[in-house]
Amino acid sequence: MTGKKKLKVHFKPDNVEIVVDQGENLLQAAIAAGVRIYASCGGAGTCGTCKVQIEEGEVETTRTDKISDQEFSKGIRQACQSRVLSDLSVYVPVESRLEKAVLAREQKQVSEVLATGWRFVPPLTKYFVELPSPTLDDNTSDLSRLLRGLRQRYRLSNLSIDFHVVQKLASTLRDGNWKATVTTLVTAVKPRAGDRRRPRVINIEAGDTRDKHHSLAFDIGTTTVCGQLLDLNRGRVVAESMAYNGQISYGEDVITRIAYCQKTGGLKKLQQAVVATINGIIEELQAQSKVDAERIGHLMVAGNTTMTQILLGLNPQHLRLTPYTPVANFFPPVPASSLGIKAGDHAQIFLFPAVASYVGGDIVSGIVGAGVHQRKVLTFFMDIGTNGEIVIGNSDWMVTASCSAGPAFEGGGIKHGIIAAEGAIEDVEINPSNYEPKVGTIGSVKPKGICGSGLINAVAELLATGVIGQNGKFNQNLPTKRVRPSADGYEYVLAWAKETQTGSDIVITEVDIDNLMRAKAAMYAGCKTLSKSVGIGGCDFDQVVIAGAFGSNIDVKRAITIGLLPDLPEERFIFIGNGALLGARLTSFSTDLLDDARRVAQMMTNLELSENVDFMNNYVAALFLPHTNAEEFPTVSKRLASKSNNNPKERIKV
Amino acid sequence: MTGKKKLKVHFKPDNVEIVVDQGENLLQAAIAAGVRIYASCGGAGTCGTCKVQIEEGEVETTRTDKISDQEFSKGIRQACQSRVLSDLSVYVPVESRLEKAVLAREQKQVSEVLATGWRFVPPLTKYFVELPSPTLDDNTSDLSRLLRGLRQRYRLSNLSIDFHVVQKLASTLRDGNWKATVTTLVTAVKPRAGDRRRPRVINIEAGDTRDKHHSLAFDIGTTTVCGQLLDLNRGRVVAESMAYNGQISYGEDVITRIAYCQKTGGLKKLQQAVVATINGIIEELQAQSKVDAERIGHLMVAGNTTMTQILLGLNPQHLRLTPYTPVANFFPPVPASSLGIKAGDHAQIFLFPAVASYVGGDIVSGIVGAGVHQRKVLTFFMDIGTNGEIVIGNSDWMVTASCSAGPAFEGGGIKHGIIAAEGAIEDVEINPSNYEPKVGTIGSVKPKGICGSGLINAVAELLATGVIGQNGKFNQNLPTKRVRPSADGYEYVLAWAKETQTGSDIVITEVDIDNLMRAKAAMYAGCKTLSKSVGIGGCDFDQVVIAGAFGSNIDVKRAITIGLLPDLPEERFIFIGNGALLGARLTSFSTDLLDDARRVAQMMTNLELSENVDFMNNYVAALFLPHTNAEEFPTVSKRLASKSNNNPKERIKV
């Protein structure tokens, strides 16, 4: 302890007060108080992002050119350049807050939709305390001493304590000479307004370890698992990695995985497989970042309902049989160590709540990440994959459904279909004069096969150039060798054997086209059925948010051409990429969004389509390119009509 | 589901509502609603304890002679004899409530002091639900279905769920055909008024298991461990057992135990020893009661601070060194299984909060059990043992201290001292004419030695008959062979070799008397020091509550004679026996008392006597029989004076 004068600094709008020595740096004081000020240059004074307004009291400031005369006269100062001279009241404007930095960073990668209006208050928080050593006059227990310190310095009360913290408390406090860093986790969502949270103390470390403060965001997909290591002080991604879900060896889709779980030891095997995948990703993240596993205190995990249940060792058997009930749609926090996940011993896993058996935490996470629940505009949210999940709604209500699209979008059930990896044909253009294709592959290498987005593009081109009709059947009379009969009906050769890696022709068959039509019909019928269920009827959405790695690669115009996406102006479509990971990441930064996730899961109404008559009718009506009802796709119909009427050789711009 | 009409029954003052079939028995409806009505005859209609008042609505009743005409006209009915005919509003008067029965039962055993004013609402509660099976229209998750059922039937919300409950949820619900019994535990104490509790769902069982609802109350003493198996439906003790603490082999008192913990593996060994003792008692309780371990969901444990820390595996090293700090003075609930305790897999242990290193949960439990915190009267509470703990206070404030009395009260450090077991000399009368003693032993067998209470009685008699002086030294000039010199100074022969089990003379030496004087001086000095610390100064307490097995056996008048107890009228002394166990038992029946325990631990101010100058002065002043200041023991002084002045041969009545 120095002999310096003690001063109070009060920060607004957080309403946090801290006692500091006279002369303390104001940015450091804010950090110590848990007030999140954005200092992109790290406190060098060069960025000007840490501006605060001194409402009362006196600071000594080194003025730089980042502060205008007008600002200076209003009491605006750079926190990093200011020292505390008296008791202060300091206002931190929204532009200087850390959430602003997070949003700015995210916006670059994602799109214009993103959850906003949240405060940067991670559910996992670290607090540093310096405690007086015990004396005969003050020999309260170590635990009471710690709680008193937290209450006095951070106004923290109403804490619950994990027993393993009590177990190491005495030695940790003494090892750090009565200086320690406590990690708290907020898990319980406020059940009603006015209820106070009860943060859980999950760890204590000797000394000041606030600078080592990390968590993980995970998207556990049926096919791939993506993980990000986050820095909770700076609100950014430190490292990122992905891997195929190790469960793939036991079945490609959720149905085969659920079936596998019914074998003796099957569930355990699948659980271990995904845990191994997660641990592999964590190792990779650590290798990239040099962050110790012990510094990772939290995992925010979004997965579909089946993946979530298997990860937790909850038998998914009832998910697959009518009436399709999950064991739980929200989960208590689970210690990472209890599942064999190699993060900190104290690390807890938060699983995003699910809506139903086939609308999982990944969708809830995507909705929250994209801020769909915050906006009044009518949104159509879709995550396209084997199970296309769709949501319609806004901040007031949401309906959701899962459409069994089948594996076509992921290249499954397609003769030369492959997943979207190097060598997959992704882009296709067909010359309307000679029906010759120009193909582009991922990695610009020789083609190996065709991926889902490539298939959509190819079929849209085949339709636009009249190679196939609106019923998906080939025009057998065209002057090209590319269209030819085969064992599976007619087919179109996208690449000749000599041009491919496989040494065989790569083709699209009528069966492939049929599979794609069924997949897109399921999605579109799902959308129509949901829409009708809430009395809207049509598909005139203010915005269409497309999530999922697959979704990011599709060409909107061509997807509209085949009738996968509704016929709306292109500017209404927004791609957010991996929405599940986005939501998991943002929620790791803000307890506000954690609350939102629970609320969103509860407000969504699930519609089971599997035995819904309306859905079946819509589905049959959609088994056409783009649709049996031309009026639902006016711009496509107009283009197709203009082509057939005017110039059969001219390629329709799709 | 029957086709009967559904009716609402509202119970006051609990304000609980339940929906039942028309014709349902009203007592059954109350039980189902969790309203605790006392029905001592089990619903046969013969005891008349389950009277309720029908405020609104109609019941069909079989009237018995237990209801007077006046009662009948006021709407009073026996719940067990009434059937619900319409929606009802029912008032349950205090005389019909279960806590009344518990108090009546306790009062017989204990004394006139007992915590009152609490409701019979055990922290561990069972709720039975019948849930609708899932359908396509209602295919919410199993967990949501369960919570919905609990909310609808019991208005329960804001629950947290243990993960292992989620793990067995799907199979349990289906095994019981959607009928299940849920066990909840209230652990968090309301941190401030208005905060709602967040009950924890710790178990689920298939079907209706409400009738099998048990918990354990334990007192973990340094020497003995006492356990009781409780029936939480009926508020009574089902079985009771005790055993020596297995740690005794590692040291007799807490100091040697703490020292043993510093050896490699020492803490673990002591922990295992007490767990083995607890498990032995649980086995015995089960053997007596035929209750399955799986039906035991809770353990309420009171122990001194050292015993509590060792049980939890928390190193007690800092308890023994100045400034004497416990690791914690309150504890999160700990799963019994994590300590190796053989109760239900789901069972949780609640440890009574402690005040300081030498004022533990056992004292807090005793205070709560005796209701000291509920009364305005000035109370002196003492638990006499190796560490005599004392408390002074009332409902507004309490101060406490531990006095290192040494082991004399338990027979330790006494030449022929033994613990209070069969063969211990307990009662002593000395004939003032010839100085011959009449001794009584526990079990009325030949004497083996002398126990603490026997020693007090003997010394009081020796003093009263002038065999020893007020300085504790023998009168060497008496005409008796019983007083004789020995290696340790003079001694008095209580029993000749031929009369004893040991075949040797049983004696009391001047060293023994000196040890006893030091022990009683520590207790009395502690009382005086505490009293002065709060500005009272004297010892004029409205009541003196004496807890502890040892305490129960002492003779008040003789204890006053030697200066152990303050010189107050006999009617102010109240014996509560094992106060720690009493508090643990009552708290198992009432969450109100659980709250009280935490509040009491927080309101007690601990005074460290070990380096207190005032205590040292008081201690030295008390090294006399009864005290150097005769005015503090006026009645004793008067009796002693009358003896020496008037008739030296007449035995003073002590």
Side-chain angles (χ1 to χ4, degrees), chain A residues 382-401:
Chain A
M382 61 198 300
D383 192 327
I384 311 174
T386 308
N387 268 292
E389 291 97 353
I390 56 180
V391 180
I392 295 176
N394 58 26
S395 52
D396 295 329
W397 55 270
M398 287 187 206
V399 287
T400 182

Side-chain angles (χ1 to χ4, degrees), chain A residues 139 141 143-144 326-327 329 608, chain B residues 139 141-144 327 329 608:
Chain A
N139 65 354
S141 72
L143 182 56
S144 289
V327 171
N329 48 353
E608 283 296 339
Chain B
N139 64 355
S141 72
D142 297 346
L143 181 56
S144 289
V327 171
N329 47 352
E608 283 297 338

Side-chain angles (χ1 to χ4, degrees), chain A residues 134-136 139-144 147 158 161 163 166-167 169-170 174 188 191-192 195-196 198 312 314 318 322-330 332 334 608 611, chain B residues 134-136 139-144 147 158 161 163 166-167 169-170 174 188 191-192 195-196 198 312 314 318 322-330 332 334 608 611:
Chain A
T135 62
L136 265 184
N139 65 354
T140 186
S141 72
D142 297 345
L143 182 56
S144 289
L147 295 180
N158 196 28
I161 317 289
F163 182 57
V166 178
Q167 283 178 308
L169 187 58
R174 287 167 181 84
R192 63 172 191 195
D195 280 359
R196 286 196 304 170
R198 189 162 161 81
L312 295 178
L314 303 173
H318 302 293
T322 178
Y324 315 109
T325 47
V327 171
N329 48 353
F330 58 94
V334 180
E608 283 296 339
E611 299 177 22
Chain B
T135 62
L136 265 183
N139 64 355
T140 187
S141 72
D142 297 346
L143 181 56
S144 289
L147 294 180
N158 196 28
I161 317 288
F163 183 56
V166 178
Q167 282 177 307
L169 187 59
R174 287 166 181 83
R192 63 171 189 195
D195 280 359
R196 287 195 304 169
R198 189 164 161 79
L312 294 178
L314 303 173
H318 303 292
T322 177
Y324 316 108
T325 49
V327 171
N329 47 352
F330 57 93
V334 180
E608 283 297 338
E611 300 178 23

